[in-house]
Amino acid sequence: MAEHTTTADPFGMWRDWMANSERQWNGFLNDAMATDEFSQTMGRMMDGYLNLQKNMNEVMGRYLQLINVPTRNDILAIGERLSQIEERLDQIEDGLLRREAGQPAAATGAPLAATMPRPPRTKKPARA
């Protein structure tokens, strides 16, 4: 009698079981998500979540105002105003430097370094 040995691959059986389970769950959930009831339920849940988030933002804003701590919007507004002030100061500084250099205030838009006169070159290179 010939010996017939079959070795069962437990990992192969597990992979097959996982693939079949995944395929079945995928089919079931796809069918469930294709219904109007699911879409309506998800829409209601999203509306509820968005309302909760809006209310939490309002409550936190009032609380932070109560304890005299700036909110995120306050910090962003300050940052934007600071940027505008810095840009304005740069414009004023450029205008003053052009005025000192004897150039008209409304320059052609060239960078200030390109419009400033360069000092004469007085140092001669050393001879070899």
Side-chain angles (χ1 to χ4, degrees), residues 25-39 42:
W25 275 106
N26 193 20
F28 170 75
L29 292 174
N30 280 336
D31 291 342
M33 286 188 286
T35 63
D36 286 337
E37 292 85 9
F38 179 82
S39 299
M42 287 304 294

Side-chain angles (χ1 to χ4, degrees), residues 6 9 11-12 23 39 41 50 58 62 80 91 94 98 100 102 126:
T6 57
D9 180 16
F11 292 111
R23 195 174 309 111
S39 299
T41 302
L50 291 174
E58 289 173 1
R62 284 190 300 241
E80 186 175 321
Q91 291 173 356
D94 285 346
R98 285 190 184 109
E100 287 176 6

Side-chain angles (χ1 to χ4, degrees), residues 57-77:
N57 284 340
E58 289 173 1
V59 168
M60 284 302 295
R62 284 190 300 241
Y63 175 72
L64 292 174
Q65 188 177 25
L66 180 70
I67 63 172
N68 204 21
V69 174
T71 63
R72 179 179 187 271
N73 289 337
D74 294 337
I75 300 297
L76 291 175

Side-chain angles (χ1 to χ4, degrees), residues 34-126:
T35 63
D36 286 337
E37 292 85 9
F38 179 82
S39 299
Q40 291 170 356
T41 302
M42 287 304 294
R44 284 191 300 269
M45 287 178 61
M46 185 59 70
D47 286 341
Y49 173 74
L50 291 174
N51 284 332
L52 175 70
Q53 186 177 22
K54 178 184 171 195
N55 290 337
M56 285 299 293
N57 284 340
E58 289 173 1
V59 168
M60 284 302 295
R62 284 190 300 241
Y63 175 72
L64 292 174
Q65 188 177 25
L66 180 70
I67 63 172
N68 204 21
V69 174
T71 63
R72 179 179 187 271
N73 289 337
D74 294 337
I75 300 297
L76 291 175
I78 289 172
E80 186 175 321
R81 287 186 64 199
L82 185 58
S83 261
Q84 292 171 354
I85 290 169
E86 287 174 345
E87 287 177 17
R88 183 68 180 134
L89 284 175
D90 285 343
Q91 291 173 356
I92 292 170
E93 187 177 59
D94 285 346
L96 289 174
L97 288 174
R98 285 190 184 109
R99 180 180 248 177
E100 287 176 6
Q103 295 179 352
T108 61
L112 184 59
T115 60
M116 295 288 293
R118 296 181 65 173
R121 186 168 177 195
T122 57
K123 189 170 183 176
K124 303 288 184 203

Side-chain angles (χ1 to χ4, degrees), residues 12-27:
M13 291 172 30
W14 182 76
R15 277 192 303 270
D16 292 341
W17 177 79
M18 283 297 293
N20 288 334
S21 293
E22 184 178 347
R23 195 174 309 111
Q24 289 172 351
W25 275 106
N26 193 20

